[in-house]
Amino acid sequence: MQPTLRQAVLQAQQQLVSTLQIEPSTARIEAIALLNHVMHQSSRAWFLAHENDALQANNHAEFQALLTRRLGGEPIAYILGMREFYGLKLKVTPDTLIPRPDTETLVETALAKIPKHQPYKILDLGTGTGAITLAIASQRPKTSVTAVDASEAALSVAIENAATLNIKNVSFLLSNWFADLQNQRFDLIVSNPPYIESNDAHLGQGDLRFEPLSALESGADGLDDIRSIIQAASEHLNPNGWLMLEHGYNQASEVAHLLHQAGFCDVSHAYDIAGIARVSIGMSTS
């Protein structure tokens, strides 16, 4: 006898809690998401309306296959091929970093500086899925956003996301940071660069095991890429232009020091919902 959808989700929830040590509420959300994916549905309301239906054998087998991948630690975003960020549904692949809620702090900080009804040139360094670029561009249609990434595979995902979301005020460039931007200048540069220390044990744990190392690790102190960006940013900023960098929970003071050293003024921080200084900001005077 085939289980009902509710029974399948309950069993999966218990396995996820036991194996991955995640909260029961999170495990239930993940189990429903996996089942909805199998059933080609997207809402929890659909599941609730059909939870007493029998789960057909072929669908049950597919659900179990996805659940096995998740129980092995594979991020659910990669299994589903999608992650929501700032209200946008984005395609994700193992070639891209998985967008995280912490990065919405960077988006909010940027939007606070961007005029709503006039042209403004923005550069997103290391765009990955295009999450930051597309969130900003969707909220500020008068802006022109250039997104660069050194990974051709990641850049193709960002381009596909822009097309799917029909966001037009963006352009994409294959470039290692500023290398192929020539003499272009911008009013605002944003980046969520790699910032994890190369010997950090977390790189071998959880979702990070599956994400591209090049998007995570940045030298012995995690600041190699941030240093490179800060040192070159003034050459690509208009006078009084802003540089905004996401970084680790314990790196704010060092990033502020680097900004001051490079001649940036009005250096400050933006804090995430946990009260952690997640973004450092500086104004160019050149």
Side-chain angles (χ1 to χ4, degrees), residues 123-124 127-134 137 145-149 154-163 167-175 181 184:
L123 174 64
D124 175 21
T127 195
T129 60
I132 296 167
T133 285
L134 298 172
V145 188
T146 299
V148 308
D149 205 290
L155 203 64
S156 68
V157 174
I159 291 169
E160 183 177 342
N161 279 327
I167 297 174
K168 305 288 190 181
N169 53 323
V170 298
S171 60
F172 297 92
L173 177 68
L174 186 67
S175 177
L181 283 164
Q184 293 186 61

Side-chain angles (χ1 to χ4, degrees), residues 98-168:
I98 299 168
R100 290 168 167 79
D102 285 345
T103 302
E104 294 189 356
T105 302
L106 178 57
V107 172
E108 292 283 3
T109 305
L111 290 174
K113 296 290 187 186
I114 301 169
K116 290 185 178 181
H117 304 296
Q118 66 187 63
Y120 205 75
K121 289 188 66 178
I122 301 165
L123 174 64
D124 175 21
L125 294 170
T127 195
T129 60
I132 296 167
T133 285
L134 298 172
I136 292 173
S138 66
Q139 295 294 313
R140 296 289 187 272
K142 293 289 186 180
T143 63
S144 173
V145 188
T146 299
V148 308
D149 205 290
S151 165
E152 189 171 358
L155 203 64
S156 68
V157 174
I159 291 169
E160 183 177 342
N161 279 327
T164 300
L165 294 167
N166 196 33
I167 297 174
K168 305 288 190 181

Side-chain angles (χ1 to χ4, degrees), residues 15-22 30 70-74 209:
Q15 290 178 272
L16 288 166
V17 170
S18 174
T19 303
L20 300 181
Q21 307 299 310
I22 60 179
E30 290 195 357
R70 182 65 185 120
L71 292 171
E74 185 176 349
R209 293 173 295 161

